[in-house]
Amino acid sequence: MRFQHPDGSTVHLGYCSNVHQAEDLQGVIAQLAEYAEPVRERLGADRLGIGLWLARPVVTELAEDEAALARLKGELRARGLETVTLNAFPYAGFHREVVKKDVYEPDWADEARLQYTLDCALVLAALLPDDVAHGSVSTLPLAWRTPWHRACSEEARHALDRLTTGLAALESWTGRRIRVGFEPEPGCVVETTTQAVRELGGLDPDRLGICLDACHLAVQFENPAEALRRLGEAGLPVVKLQASCAVEAARPADPAARAALQRLAEPRFLHQTRTVTDGDVVGVDDLPQALDGDLPDDTGPWRVHFHAPLHTEPEPPLRTTADQLEQVLDGLLGGPAAHCDHIEVETYTWSVLPEPPTDLPGGIAAELAWARDRLTGLGLKEDLS
């Protein structure tokens, strides 16, 4: 879906396909018919944005086979779908039985990460609608924090220089600008906007910036207004927003809250958990550690990296951080100028909810409707042309 901001710019809203399980081109195309097109129809929209997650084998095929790329582009067009952004954080295997920290491999000290990202940019430049001049690719925040040492940091910085050069060459060749956004995430080398400024400051803002995940921001107890101001002052543009909510337990020692949290402690994805103690954010790498007593439960609320559906509340007494997401949207789009034009709903955890939905297209459509309502509430007008 497209929206017109009062400043005249176009803002794109879609959802991320990493919620779907497919790591070959045929599977990706099947998703469009089974899920994405029904979501569009549920919304009554003529056009729906879908941020594609394309595993390494799919990207390789699309980058090397013009016919395959034309086939995917044709399927998107035929089903009323458009792609302006790719999620290149997971490399492959995102729906294995256990993913956990494997999602951070390869990291930005590994040549494979650079080549994958450049190939994603190449594919996206070809998939962009004819009337869209630029796209975005989101990626991991350099690496998981361990092991990471000076040599890794130096390798990563060299890779980012080559990434900038490659993106500039791609624009010169195709006329399409692709920007890459690094996504701060709890537990990583870059987990906060303060660390983003330290580790990523000084990059070319025309090519590189931040993918801001509202769930991650909330888990780290960052104030949205302060975080956005910090990034702006450092010259780090928000090239993409992942509209997402964390889960919060206001009183984590409450037996009802612990029982509800226990039902979220599933084995596939990592659920970093944070709280505030004596003014400092402290945490553990996964929810089971918190429940086993490795995180204090008497100093304040817990926030859990579990992407919760935007439009509903989890099992009581848990809640979501939707209020934080609304503050992020207001900070990026509520003023006289739009500071981000790619918004992607990224609830990839539907299949690991305590009660997985029987109607996934309906759930995704409801999330997008929630986001649409917030955008129009900020004065954006949906483009129905």
Side-chain angles (χ1 to χ4, degrees), residues 21-242:
Q21 183 174 354
E23 300 202 19
D24 57 55
L25 181 57
Q26 187 58 40
V28 170
I29 289 174
Q31 293 170 358
L32 305 181
E34 186 175 358
Y35 299 109
E37 188 175 13
V39 169
R40 179 184 62 76
E41 292 170 345
R42 298 288 184 90
L43 289 165
D46 291 332
R47 176 173 48 197
L48 175 67
I50 180 166
L52 292 174
W53 171 60
L54 303 173
R56 171 78 262 194
V58 182
V59 171
T60 299
E61 181 177 358
L62 293 172
E64 296 178 352
D65 186 342
E66 291 185 7
L69 191 56
R71 180 186 175 201
L72 177 57
K73 188 168 185 177
E75 288 284 346
L76 289 165
R77 184 185 302 111
R79 300 189 184 284
L81 308 171
E82 65 177 14
T83 294
V84 301
T85 187
L86 297 185
N87 186 335
F89 193 133
Y91 187 84
F94 192 56
H95 287 272
R96 294 196 301 261
E97 283 191 26
V98 178
V99 179
K100 299 294 183 180
K101 294 178 183 177
D102 288 348
V103 75
Y104 307 108
E105 297 176 356
D107 62 35
W108 274 99
D110 189 325
E111 177 76 13
R113 174 60 64 174
L114 171 64
Q115 294 305 320
Y116 172 60
T117 307
L118 286 172
D119 284 348
C120 283
L122 174 67
V123 168
L124 178 58
L127 293 178
L128 286 178
D130 293 339
D131 60 346
V132 174
H134 70 272
S136 61
V137 175
S138 52
T139 186
L140 72 159
L142 299 183
W144 185 252
R145 68 183 185 278
T146 55
W148 190 257
H149 42 76
R150 181 181 296 274
C152 295
S153 183
E154 292 173 352
E155 286 290 337
R157 198 70 185 202
H158 180 54
L160 299 192
D161 289 341
R162 293 169 61 201
L163 175 63
T164 302
T165 300
L167 294 174
L170 179 64
E171 182 177 2
S172 178
W173 175 43
T174 65
R176 302 295 185 88
R177 174 168 294 183
I178 306 298
R179 296 189 294 174
V180 172
F182 296 85
E183 182 184 331
E185 177 166 319
C188 292
V189 173
V190 177
E191 62 178 359
T192 66
T193 55
T194 297
Q195 292 170 331
V197 170
R198 184 186 69 209
E199 298 290 339
L200 302 171
L203 298 176
D204 180 357
D206 290 334
R207 315 285 175 200
L208 309 180
I210 298 298
C211 171
L212 194 63
D213 188 302
C215 169
H216 303 171
L217 197 74
V219 169
Q220 287 296 143
F221 287 88
E222 291 205 65
N223 177 280
E226 292 176 4
L228 293 174
R229 182 170 58 251
R230 183 178 298 117
L231 294 175
E233 291 174 351
L236 281 171
V238 179
V239 304
K240 175 179 178 177
L241 169 66
Q242 286 183 327

Side-chain angles (χ1 to χ4, degrees), residues 100 186 213 215-216 219 244-248 260-273 286-287 303-310 314 318-321 346-355:
K100 299 294 183 180
D213 188 302
C215 169
H216 303 171
V219 169
S244 55
C245 294
V247 170
E248 181 178 276
L261 288 169
Q262 187 65 58
R263 285 186 275 276
L264 296 179
E266 54 81 31
R268 177 175 296 165
F269 300 118
L270 203 62
H271 299 297
Q272 302 93 314
T273 306
D286 210 353
L287 179 55
R303 288 183 179 172
V304 183
H305 176 212
F306 194 112
H307 285 219
L310 305 187
L318 305 182
R319 62 180 299 273
T320 74
T321 56
E346 199 219 6
T347 305
Y348 58 84
T349 48
W350 286 97
S351 65
V352 295
L353 289 171
E355 296 183 8

